Amino acid sequence: MAGRDLRALFGSNDRVGTDEAFTNRERQWAQVAAAVSEHLRRISEPGFDVQDLETARRNVLVFHGIGGIGKSTLSRKVEAALGGAPGRPAQWGEPSWPTSPVLLPVRIDLARSAGMDFERLVLTLRMAFAGLDRSMPAFDLALLRYWGHNHPGESLEEYLRRAGLVHRLAKALPGQMQGALSKAAEELALPGAVGSAVGQVTTAVVRAVQERRTTARALAGCPRLADLLEAEPDLDALSFYPHLLAYELDRLPEKKKVTPIVLLDTFEDVGDRTHRDLERLIQRVVWLMPNALFVITGRSWLQWADPALQGQLDYTGPTAWPQLATHLPHPRTIPIPAARHTDAPSADGSASGSSSAAAGGDPGSAVGAVGAANDGGRTGTAGDADGGRAVEADRQVLIGDFSPEDRDDYLARRLTHPDGRPLIEPELRAVIAERSHGLPLYLDLAVQRFLEVRRTRTPELADVDHDFPALLARTLQDLTEAERHVLRAACLLDAFDIPLATAAAGLPREAPARRLVERPLVLEHPAGLWPYHLHGVVRSTLRHADDRTDDSWSEQDWHTAAQRAFTAIGDHWTTSTSTDAGTAGASAGAGTVGREVLVACLRQGLRLARDHRLDLDWLTDAAWAYIGDSVWEPLAPPAPAPLPSRNATPSHTGHSETAPAATPADMLVETLSALTRRQHEHRARTAQRLAAVVDSHLLPEDLHLMALYYLAKAQRDLGHRTGSRHGMQTVADSTSRLAPAARRGLVHLLRLAGDFPAAHQAAQHLGWAGRQHRVEGDLHWPHGDMTTAAAAYLTARTQAEHHRVAGETATCQAQRAFALAFTDPGLADDEIDLAQQLLTGLDLRATALTVRTAQLLRDAGTDHLDQRIDQLRTDALASGITAAQAAVDLAAAFHHAVRDNHTEHTAAVTRLHDLTRDGDYAYYTDIAHYMADQNPDSPSTARWNTDEQTVRTRWHALVTDRRGSLPPL
């Protein structure tokens, strides 16, 4: 029957539907089914020997995952499905294995709260076979001897009743064991009085086995029985008795054959990585019962295949457990998003994204690491340690989060109206699903909160936008104090490695961090600069929920840890920077690796400095290094959620309503965010954001001038000449590292106004820092001198390559392609391809528009170009970059002039006139007329570097040359 959520049932006066929701575990069921099928095939092979103690064991399947992920629910459902009980989840397919032998699922909860110890575990195993209605003499004799020695005067039946192991099989078990004793005495022809004494019978059995007497054939077939009966009947000996149980199961008649599927749940309560006494006993059971399949669920993966555990456990190494060896040395991978009802990870990951994970970015942001938890775990393979003769499927499976669809499905089916409609509204379900990061425990707690709020009023969105302290208890309960300390420090970080987490925690040794990263609440992206990150909901809860644990952190503790982490990240960047870092205009990291480190450190450092109000410190130099390459990777961290404060009045969401005053870190985040977002936002928005930063006067002088310079650039792109000139002049007159760039900006303003002689003269003093050769190319091409312009751009590109400035290299190449597209379409085609290659991995909107404009110019005069022109004009308009818009219409004028289409050419000239009526780029209208060998009706005030007739002749020649190279229309 379907399960009932009794807590929800008793949480409301209304008769709401409270069916237990279970979803998104088809893959786990498929893995169980595959393991069962493989196990049945293996034990049915002729060479299989249950008494073989040396062959590698392949009878274990492990499901591990964070607390609250649904491992116990999965274990219960698997037990029901294997046992043929009704209520198997609808998503699970029918089993494909044969009906014989019968599967016998035995589920044992190892949780401390269940009171399970090793003695009870062995009794539970034996009791599971009581339904076969036959004794198991070898095992039963050994167990009776153990029982009499360790429980004198206490009957097994009474113990089972007192221990809570009472059901119909418990009543049958004592009788079966006594029957085994009587049968052994009968076979050995012992007197009645003697035959009732366990000690006398076992002594006789030992003698009979040693003498190989046929009268004890049922017992003589187990050669190790005599040794076990002679051994001291203590707990250690008890752990070897399952060998006898395996023997008895193996010799059952064919019609009575059963295959045990033993489900060991809550395996994390068996012990820790230091105390393995109980784990050693349980591992013996698994090893000594190769004809049973063990499905283990717990928070951590099994380390049994690790050779380093030799001496702590009896059977270790990849040779012993080949299917468990694929997790060495790392247990987890970043998830890959999948479709509904498959391995659908949460995004905390976040995911999202992948590029920032490699650079240490936030796994939960739009550019973060791919997801957050893997619903299927690794599916890789690993060979045997003895040379890899066989390839083993991974039997350690990470239980992952629900997909977004399954989160909603879970919430929709968990609580329902009497008519079956979901009780929780779609808007509320969406908020809960997003906040949960796919963790079933969060969904469960959110359902309880929904019912709690519903008692007094209708729940609102803010009511379910909530962090649950109960998650902390589930997360922290099996961690050591040092591991909890590292965990709290790690939740400050988007991504981390062991040294960084240790430094943030302020610990003198790495061991706690090394233990922590083995936990399923820590996810791994092996290719990342910092490969680890916390599960999204765990991180959110640790940072934002009221922490009532005994070792909780104060606000000062959080601040101190943030400062430690911030310093450690800065040290990482400093030591990873190449020798030329910090020079004006130079990239901080010579090459991709250095850039990756820079961006990763900036992402984390900006978040810490902003959220914890830290001094900028190393961020200042890092910000300068960041802008040096003009790559513009996304940097800005998400807006912080308000943190609880003892001095603020909490809202009904539990979050503080206090909005602290802005800090320099806030302004630096806003500055760099505006610079990166300008590649995707209208320049008016960029100018607005940077103007607010400049007006705040919170940044130190050098960073203030940085913001002012880029504000002036945005104003220039928008055609706000006066404001741009003022900002550029202020920066140019300073000692800022951007002073040469500002002087270049002033030259550009002269060029935009058409004052070419003044621009040319000013350009001669720019040098490399002011990008002199690129500026010269910008001055040559409006004169129609494309050859000289292309040569200048080539020199500029070569210089940029020498200085390893990727953004400048791509920009110079794009301009070279633009110039050559007027003169030589064939050569331009190669130059455009190179420009596109150089733009790979960069985020340069204006440069990308230049390349697309060059493509139009390359194809000018051909058919079917109008739609491309319209699309590019729309994209340029959306950017807010006047230069890009003017260049598109200039290309359109060139195209229509080549085709001698007077109507469309006139329309292009009109658009140019309207676009440049404020004076900037007004000479583009003159150039458009020159292309068609026309005189402008109202010529601009441009001052050319040569006589106007030469300029006119060059532009018209470009049109006629192109027209002559095309086939007749």
Side-chain angles (χ1 to χ4, degrees):
M1 297 178 60
R4 302 289 291 174
D5 183 354
L6 296 181
R7 285 181 301 160
L9 182 66
F10 286 88
S12 172
N13 290 331
D14 299 333
R15 288 291 298 173
V16 299
T18 58
D19 287 346
E20 181 183 53
F22 184 77
T23 186
N24 194 42
R25 298 305 184 209
E26 301 93 316
R27 179 165 185 174
Q28 282 66 50
W29 169 246
Q31 287 164 322
V32 170
V36 170
S37 298
E38 180 189 342
H39 181 72
L40 292 174
R41 177 192 57 77
R42 189 172 57 254
I43 65 176
S44 64
E45 292 176 347
F48 178 78
D49 183 1
V50 75
Q51 299 196 60
D52 182 354
L53 301 181
E54 297 181 358
T55 299
R57 293 301 191 252
R58 294 174 171 85
N59 61 330
V60 179
L61 174 62
V62 180
F63 292 109
H64 63 102
I66 186 175
I69 202 69
K71 301 180 296 297
S72 294
T73 301
L74 175 66
S75 180
R76 290 193 298 270
K77 294 293 183 180
V78 168
E79 178 193 25
L82 292 176
R88 185 181 72 243
Q91 314 96 295
W92 291 5
E94 292 289 339
S96 58
W97 50 79
T99 56
S100 179
V102 175
L103 298 183
L104 182 60
V106 184
R107 184 173 179 275
I108 301 175
D109 189 352
L110 300 173
R112 296 186 185 96
S113 59
M116 181 62 64
D117 56 24
F118 185 70
E119 189 176 85
R120 293 181 64 183
L121 182 149
V122 174
L123 285 173
T124 302
L125 275 177
R126 173 61 183 91
M127 194 162 51
F129 306 117
L132 301 177
D133 195 25
R134 60 184 293 122
S135 63
M136 296 187 168
F139 178 85
D140 290 349
L141 283 176
L143 184 58
L144 281 172
R145 182 169 181 264
Y146 169 87
W147 195 260
H149 186 273
N150 292 278
H151 296 268
E154 182 178 20
S155 70
L156 180 60
E157 186 174 7
E158 173 61 22
Y159 176 85
L160 293 175
R161 186 194 64 77
R162 183 170 54 81
L165 299 175
V166 178
H167 52 73
R168 63 180 183 85
L169 297 181
K171 296 180 179 179
L173 178 58
Q176 292 178 8
M177 296 182 70
Q178 188 61 43
L181 182 67
S182 300
K183 185 174 183 181
E186 179 182 345
E187 289 182 347
L188 296 170
L190 297 178
V194 175
S196 63
V198 176
Q200 296 290 342
V201 174
T202 55
T203 300
V205 168
V206 170
R207 187 181 307 112
V209 171
Q210 290 172 342
E211 296 174 359
R212 300 186 178 182
R213 284 161 43 188
T214 57
T215 53
R217 60 185 179 276
L219 301 174
C222 185
R224 294 178 179 84
L225 173 60
D227 299 293
L228 289 174
L229 292 179
E230 287 186 308
E232 180 72 17
D234 54 15
L235 195 64
D236 194 63
L238 179 65
S239 68
F240 288 99
Y241 292 179
H243 171 72
L244 306 177
L245 196 57
Y247 162 74
E248 294 288 4
L249 290 171
D250 186 61
R251 57 187 292 271
L252 288 173
E254 284 300 321
K255 292 184 178 181
K256 291 282 189 177
K257 285 282 188 184
V258 296
T259 298
I261 310 294
V262 183
L263 300 109
L264 301 178
D265 191 26
T266 325
F267 201 80
E268 66 270 14
D269 279 5
V270 164
D272 55 37
R273 301 301 197 192
T274 303
H275 303 91
R276 297 182 182 269
D277 296 336
L278 179 55
E279 183 179 5
R280 182 174 64 253
L281 300 177
I282 293 177
Q283 193 209 46
R284 283 180 189 162
V285 174
V286 177
W287 185 270
L288 296 173
M289 296 187 69
N291 51 351
L293 176 66
F294 289 82
V295 180
I296 297 176
T297 47
R299 294 197 180 188
S300 301
W301 54 287
L302 288 187
Q303 294 181 307
W304 295 354
D306 189 346
L309 295 184
Q310 186 174 8
Q312 297 185 67
L313 301 176
D314 291 349
Y315 312 96
T316 59
T319 301
W321 308 95
Q323 292 177 319
L324 304 183
T326 53
H327 264 53
L328 299 175
H330 298 299
R332 294 157 308 282
T333 61
I334 284 293
I336 299 173
R340 172 177 168 83
H341 291 316
T342 59
D343 310 327
S346 92
D348 186 90
S350 309
S352 55
S354 54
S355 61
S356 93
D362 182 7
S365 72
V367 291
V370 193
N374 189 346
D375 192 30
R378 284 188 177 180
T379 55
T381 60
D384 284 344
D386 59 358
R389 290 187 300 272
V391 175
E392 301 286 352
D394 188 1
R395 285 290 188 86
Q396 306 228 53
V397 180
L398 182 65
I399 299 291
D401 305 320
F402 285 171
S403 68
E405 297 89 349
D406 283 317
R407 300 170 204 174
D408 184 76
D409 185 45
Y410 179 98
L411 294 169
R413 293 193 291 115
R414 181 65 179 275
L415 298 176
T416 57
H417 291 284
D419 60 2
R421 290 181 297 110
L423 187 64
I424 306 177
E425 296 297 326
E427 295 81 6
L428 300 184
R429 297 203 304 268
V431 173
I432 295 171
E434 182 178 2
R435 286 296 305 271
S436 74
H437 296 276
L439 184 68
L441 175 59
Y442 185 97
L443 300 175
D444 180 62
L445 293 172
V447 167
Q448 302 306 316
R449 176 169 174 79
F450 175 86
L451 290 174
E452 178 185 352
V453 174
R454 188 172 177 267
R455 293 173 187 169
T456 57
R457 57 182 172 83
T458 302
E460 303 173 356
L461 290 177
D463 294 315
V464 295
D465 187 10
H466 189 72
D467 293 301
F468 294 102
L471 276 170
L472 291 179
R474 293 290 295 271
T475 300
L476 302 178
Q477 66 182 11
D478 60 338
L479 300 181
T480 66
E481 181 179 356
E483 288 170 352
R484 293 196 297 271
H485 193 72
V486 175
L487 177 65
R488 287 190 169 91
C491 82
L492 293 167
L493 302 165
D494 301 325
F496 60 91
D497 58 11
I498 290 171
L500 180 56
T502 301
L507 295 179
R509 62 189 190 282
E510 292 184 347
R514 292 187 179 278
R515 292 195 302 269
L516 180 67
V517 299
E518 293 182 353
R519 305 282 185 169
L521 55 86
V522 179
L523 305 174
E524 183 183 2
H525 188 298
L529 175 64
W530 291 304
Y532 303 110
H533 68 273
L534 294 182
H535 188 283
V537 75
V538 172
R539 185 182 183 203
S540 173
T541 304
L542 280 167
R543 288 295 295 117
H544 302 133
D546 292 330
D547 189 345
R548 303 295 178 87
T549 55
D550 292 340
D551 55 353
S552 62
W553 281 8
S554 67
E555 293 179 16
Q556 182 58 46
D557 291 331
W558 285 110
H559 181 84
T560 302
Q563 183 65 64
R564 287 194 302 258
F566 180 78
T567 301
I569 293 169
D571 291 343
H572 186 100
W573 172 64
T574 302
T575 56
S576 301
T577 303
S578 60
T579 55
D580 65 338
T583 58
S587 168
T592 304
V593 174
R595 187 74 186 179
E596 178 185 336
V597 172
L598 168 66
V599 172
C601 292
L602 266 175
R603 281 177 176 148
Q604 301 225 71
L606 286 170
R607 180 195 286 267
L608 288 168
R610 181 200 65 185
D611 293 355
H612 299 275
R613 308 176 74 80
L614 306 178
D615 294 336
L616 295 181
D617 195 49
W618 58 269
L619 284 177
T620 297
D621 286 338
W624 282 107
Y626 170 76
I627 69 170
D629 255 352
S630 300
V631 179
W632 309 119
E633 303 93 332
L635 280 183
L643 298 179
S645 172
R646 293 188 297 269
N647 300 321
T649 302
S651 68
H652 65 279
T653 65
H655 287 154
S656 165
E657 301 293 342
T658 301
T663 66
D666 291 314
M667 292 300 101
L668 181 56
V669 168
E670 181 66 5
T671 299
L672 297 180
S673 173
L675 297 186
T676 57
R677 287 298 304 164
R678 70 190 172 129
Q679 310 301 332
H680 308 279
E681 294 177 339
H682 196 282
R683 281 295 193 269
R685 173 60 178 154
T686 304
Q688 179 187 33
R689 296 177 68 179
L690 291 175
V693 172
V694 170
D695 291 344
S696 74
H697 295 284
L698 286 173
L699 289 174
E701 181 65 16
D702 54 348
L703 293 177
H704 176 83
L705 291 172
M706 177 196 290
L708 182 60
Y709 167 76
Y710 283 104
L711 171 60
K713 280 193 69 174
Q715 291 171 329
R716 184 191 70 201
D717 291 339
L718 293 167
H720 302 164
R721 189 187 309 169
T722 302
S724 179
R725 182 179 294 109
H726 174 75
M728 290 293 183
Q729 192 65 59
T730 301
V731 178
D733 292 341
S734 72
T735 58
S736 169
R737 285 176 261 195
L738 284 172
R743 289 191 283 272
R744 179 179 75 246
L746 292 172
V747 173
H748 282 315
L749 288 171
L750 291 172
R751 176 175 61 84
L752 268 57
D755 192 351
F756 289 101
H760 178 76
Q761 182 179 2
Q764 304 313 303
H765 307 288
L766 292 176
W768 153 249
R771 310 300 191 257
Q772 177 175 328
H773 290 292
R774 173 157 66 88
V775 172
E776 289 175 345
D778 293 342
L779 296 176
H780 285 302
W781 78 257
H783 291 77
D785 188 357
M786 302 303 173
T787 301
T788 305
Y793 289 133
L794 177 59
T795 302
R797 190 196 76 196
T798 303
Q799 281 188 330
E801 290 172 336
H802 174 73
H803 288 86
R804 294 174 294 192
V805 182
E808 179 64 17
T809 301
T811 297
C812 294
Q813 179 58 31
Q815 290 297 131
R816 174 174 167 79
F818 174 86
L820 291 174
F822 281 105
T823 61
D824 190 337
L827 178 59
D829 196 51
D830 293 335
E831 301 295 334
I832 289 170
D833 286 345
L834 177 57
Q836 290 175 323
Q837 293 176 26
L838 293 173
L839 275 171
T840 302
L842 307 182
D843 199 0
L844 298 173
R845 190 179 197 179
T847 302
L849 290 172
T850 299
V851 174
R852 292 174 63 188
T853 305
Q855 291 173 322
L856 291 180
L857 292 169
R858 176 198 61 192
D859 301 334
T862 62
D863 295 334
H864 311 300
L865 209 61
D866 291 347
Q867 185 174 357
R868 287 169 55 192
I869 292 173
D870 291 342
Q871 182 60 56
L872 185 54
R873 182 183 291 117
T874 299
D875 294 343
L877 180 63
S879 73
I881 303 173
T882 303
Q885 300 171 54
V888 173
D889 283 321
L890 188 66
F894 182 70
H895 168 66
H896 296 306
V898 170
R899 295 179 67 86
D900 201 22
N901 187 329
H902 298 289
T903 301
E904 291 298 331
H905 181 267
T906 300
V909 171
T910 301
R911 282 192 294 270
L912 276 172
H913 178 74
D914 293 341
L915 184 64
T916 62
R917 65 174 63 252
D918 64 350
D920 287 350
Y921 302 105
Y923 56 87
Y924 276 26
T925 306
D926 298 344
I927 292 174
H929 281 100
Y930 298 160
M931 292 175 179
D933 199 21
Q934 299 172 350
N935 292 318
D937 296 332
S938 52
S940 70
T941 59
R943 297 172 57 225
W944 302 99
N945 282 331
T946 185
D947 61 279
E948 180 184 345
Q949 184 58 44
T950 299
V951 177
R952 177 197 295 268
T953 300
R954 288 172 179 169
W955 279 107
H956 185 56
L958 292 172
V959 171
T960 56
D961 289 347
R962 176 64 61 86
R963 188 183 296 162
S965 67
L966 296 172
L969 296 176

